[in-house]
Amino acid sequence: MRPFTYERPTDARTAVSAVSRSGAKFISGGTNLLDLMKLDIEHPSHLIDISRLPMRDIEELPDGGLRIGAQAVNSDVAADDRVRTRYPVLSQALVSGASGQLRNKASTGGNLLQRTRCPYFYDTAAGCNKRDPGSGCSAIGGFNRIHAVLGASDACIATHPSDMAVAMTALEAEIELLDAEGSVRRVVITDFYRLPGDTPHLETVLRPGELITGVILPPPPPGRQLYRKVRDRASYEFALVSVAAVVSTERGMISEARVAFGGVAHKPWRSFEAEAALIGRPAEMATYRDAARAAMRDAVGQGHNDFKIELARRTLCRTLAQAARSS
Ligand SMILES: Cc1cc2nc3c(=O)[nH]c(=O)nc-3n(C[C@H](O)[C@H](O)[C@H](O)COP(=O)(O)OP(=O)(O)OC[C@H]3O[C@@H](n4cnc5c(N)ncnc54)[C@H](O)[C@@H]3O)c2cc1C
Ligand code: SF4
């Protein structure tokens, strides 16, 4: 690991002003960033430790939503009674991620910004446009079992690894950002993440020096919420495919639906195509299959990951059937 300097500000304004220094970076739980520094993939010369900023609270909003502070750790968010009862899809997604120890350290802001798990990204001997722009993509034509089937580009086929962000996408969360001038802006999570295009090293619309201060959850949508994660082993493993679904039915017909996939794209993937194929249709398997076909209509496999397309269809059908049964 390269040498770096360190400071621990006590308020958010000082933190955003400190990060304007060249080579500076925020560190929160450190569960992703420290690994990347040890592997010489990220090499900040100055770390601003934001883990003790007073941003851990989960607060009620007047409209019935919740505001989750960026420093709230994953285990606290998952265990919060209001999250468990009003946003169970978020609690389920969080609990399905990482391990208990990691969830006790991993922050809400850090989880949103965790980097891909593409093995070539971690292998500094391999070409990787995300790590080293212009060096090529070793996963295309390489071992690409965990890679994207939707929204990929010729420059990068990586997936976003967060479970939490998939649930937040189905919940239409907004990310709250603070810049060095003290301005606060909010970005809807579907607009927060970028597709790889020609610039896979740019993963979000976060501007240099901006700090994530919180996540706003709008009032819960009607219907049953469910998160289903399919992975190579039952725990402590990233998703091959995951689905966050919210389904509301009236007299056997689907009145409202939200669908987001994890593990299939460079960003949590909201499937408006699947939602359009569900709303106004009977809550039955034929409808779920149509929605699954619509969701994967533009999917393209890279060889080893071809199985993900059918896996995503089946995972969606099973999740919808279970959600609709009890909605
Ligand atoms: C073995 C292992 C298994 C895992 N399994 C899963 C899994 O199954 N599912 C899953 O979703 N995740 C999984 N994770 C990832 C884990 O959830 C992330 O490492 C964690 O959420 C990152 O949070 P952190 O606070 O530690 O971030 P850090 O590592 O401290 O930071 C990550 C990045 O975010 C930036 N950052 C942090 N906070 C802010 C902020 N408030 N504003 C601006 N920038 C910020 C940092 O500068 C850094 O670039 C796993 C991790 C490990 C090590
Ligand atoms: S898929 Fe993206 S992260 Fe993986 S090697 Fe290609 S450019 Fe790098």
Side-chain angles (χ1 to χ4, degrees):
M1 201 190 294
R2 299 187 198 193
F4 58 87
T5 48
Y6 172 91
E7 71 179 289
R8 195 167 66 208
T10 51
D11 64 274
R13 289 297 291 275
T14 311
V16 285
S17 134
V19 86
S20 60
R21 172 174 162 175
S22 164
K25 203 165 176 65
F26 297 126
I27 184 162
S28 188
T31 61
N32 190 216
L33 182 58
L34 281 178
D35 283 351
L36 295 168
M37 288 170 66
K38 287 184 211 160
L39 293 166
D40 207 20
I41 295 160
E42 301 230 30
H43 17 77
S45 54
H46 184 63
L47 284 183
I48 296 144
D49 182 349
I50 55 172
S51 62
R52 299 198 200 165
L53 291 183
M55 303 194 304
R56 282 184 89 110
D57 290 348
I58 302 174
E59 300 160 87
E60 290 284 351
L61 295 175
D63 66 357
L66 283 183
R67 181 184 179 282
I68 301 171
Q71 288 312 128
V73 294
N74 290 176
S75 46
D76 286 351
V77 179
D80 185 277
D81 273 349
R82 295 159 297 179
V83 174
R84 290 177 58 186
T85 52
R86 280 146 59 186
Y87 305 96
V89 68
L90 177 56
S91 184
Q92 292 160 16
L94 282 164
V95 169
S96 78
S99 65
Q101 285 158 315
L102 283 160
R103 292 193 296 270
N104 285 341
K105 282 302 282 179
S107 64
T108 300
N111 191 316
L112 289 169
L113 295 181
Q114 61 176 294
R115 309 295 304 275
T116 185
R117 292 283 156 176
C118 170
Y120 300 106
F121 177 72
Y122 289 83
D123 175 2
T124 49
C128 170
N129 289 322
K130 186 182 280 298
R131 174 173 30 77
D132 182 12
S135 64
C137 173
S138 300
I140 298 176
F143 183 61
N144 48 43
R145 183 170 177 273
I146 65 165
H147 289 76
V149 293
L150 286 167
S153 73
D154 291 344
C156 180
I157 57 171
T159 54
H160 194 273
S162 170
D163 292 291
M164 181 193 80
V166 179
M168 287 183 173
T169 298
L171 294 169
E172 298 184 344
E174 292 181 348
I175 317 297
E176 188 185 87
L177 305 167
L178 174 73
D179 71 13
E181 276 70 53
S183 308
V184 177
R185 67 180 179 123
R186 284 188 192 177
V187 182
V188 180
I189 191 166
T190 40
D191 298 333
F192 181 70
Y193 292 106
R194 295 169 185 261
L195 286 177
D198 295 333
T199 52
H201 58 294
L202 302 177
E203 296 171 351
T204 68
V205 299
L206 201 69
R207 295 175 190 143
E210 275 183 319
L211 174 74
I212 299 176
T213 48
V215 173
I216 311 293
L217 298 180
R224 172 100 196 275
Q225 304 175 14
L226 206 58
Y227 189 74
R228 181 178 292 277
K229 176 173 177 179
V230 182
R231 45 192 157 169
D232 281 328
R233 57 181 178 208
S235 76
Y236 203 31
E237 183 59 284
F238 292 91
L240 288 168
V241 166
S242 69
V243 170
V246 187
V247 183
S248 179
T249 57
E250 279 171 31
R251 291 186 291 280
M253 303 294 280
I254 298 170
S255 48
E256 292 197 43
R258 304 247 189 103
V259 171
F261 286 96
V264 299
H266 199 252
K267 58 190 274 186
W269 190 265
R270 176 98 183 252
S271 181
F272 296 104
E273 297 83 356
E275 294 170 13
L278 290 167
I279 295 167
R281 299 273 313 278
E284 60 189 27
M285 192 48 77
T287 302
Y288 310 146
R289 289 205 184 99
D290 285 348
R293 269 192 293 275
M296 291 295 132
R297 189 167 294 134
D298 297 328
V300 179
Q302 298 286 337
H304 299 116
N305 70 348
D306 291 351
F307 75 99
K308 275 195 180 184
I309 300 173
E310 183 57 20
L311 183 62
R313 288 193 196 108
R314 292 182 188 207
T315 308
L316 179 60
C317 287
R318 178 126 187 244
T319 311
L320 291 170
Q322 192 181 343
R325 251 200 313 276
S326 29
S327 68

